[in-house]
Structures are given as C-alpha cells and as structure tokens.
Amino acid sequence: MSIESTVLVSSISAESSNSGYTFSSKNKGAGYNKNGDGIHTVIYVVDDFIGSVKMQGTLELYPGENDWVDIVGTEQGLAEDSTTWINDTYTTTFTGKFVWVRAAYNIQNGTIIEIRYNH
C-alpha cells in the first residue's frame, strides 16, 4: 500500500549534460519507514526528450556519493543519435528496502515534465 507520493524532479529542460548524470535530492524510500513490502512505483513524464532517466537507491542511513546503486529495470531513454524524440509517460515498479531513493537524469534535448514516485 502506497503511503507517500513524492515529486523528485519537475520541469527540467534541455540541460545538455553530455557526459554525466544530474541527480535529484535524496528522498525517503520504503526502507526508511520499514514498510513491509518495499514496493515503489515511479512515473516519468517527458516531452520532446532525448536523454536518459533512471532511479538510484541506497541502504545507507547517511549515504555518501559512492553508496548509490542503479535500480535495475528503471532506466528509460533515447540515444542522442536517434531521430525520434520521446513524448510520453512511463511507469515502472521496483521492490527493495531502500532507505533513500533519487532520480538520475541526463538531458540532451527536451523536457522532463515530472518524475514522481510512490512507496
């Protein structure tokens, strides 16, 4: 059962960060509140988008930069050499007792309208 809905990213446009990812601030995951099921649902809403978005999580209470891992199955995106831009909404569900979660994104073009997750 979802107990919290959080907006991680809102209205980010064409940063053109060619090499690395930008990260949202950390937000409480299911493990922070010791939820029994550890189920998270994330929604990505993008417009004219070329780039990549994914979720990261950590089990550390006080995470450092090296304590984050990519959450398998949460990455969505489109390569820069593609001629088709993404205008869509994507949802995915992942399970884990992550204490903190954050969004990682790399924008080549377009807008991330919103990244929201529930747990």
Side-chain angles (χ1 to χ4, degrees):
M1 179 165 111
S2 176
I3 63 163
E4 188 173 332
S5 179
T6 304
V7 175
L8 297 174
V9 174
S10 179
S11 299
I12 304 291
S13 294
E15 293 184 353
S16 195
S17 54
N18 292 325
S19 59
Y21 280 89
T22 303
F23 306 102
S24 70
S25 42
K26 66 182 182 182
N27 287 273
K28 294 175 185 175
Y32 189 92
N33 295 316
K34 300 181 181 171
N35 290 358
D37 59 11
I39 296 174
H40 300 76
T41 300
V42 64
I43 183 171
Y44 308 119
V45 183
V46 297
D47 184 41
D48 290 338
F49 183 74
I50 294 178
S52 181
V53 291
K54 62 185 173 183
M55 295 296 293
Q56 293 186 321
T58 183
L59 301 176
E60 295 293 328
L61 190 55
Y62 304 102
E65 199 52 42
N66 294 325
D67 293 324
W68 296 90
V69 297
D70 293 345
I71 300 172
V72 175
T74 64
E75 187 165 7
Q76 291 289 335
L78 192 63
E80 186 175 3
D81 60 353
S82 176
T83 58
T84 306
W85 293 355
I86 298 175
N87 296 297
D88 214 344
T89 300
Y90 299 93
T91 59
T92 189
T93 300
F94 60 93
T95 304
K97 300 284 186 151
F98 299 106
V99 176
W100 299 103
V101 296
R102 68 182 184 183
Y105 56 93
N106 179 303
I107 301 174
Q108 302 302 315
N109 193 33
T111 303
I112 297 174
I113 296 170
E114 183 175 78
I115 300 174
R116 175 185 293 271
Y117 85 102
N118 298 327
H119 67 89

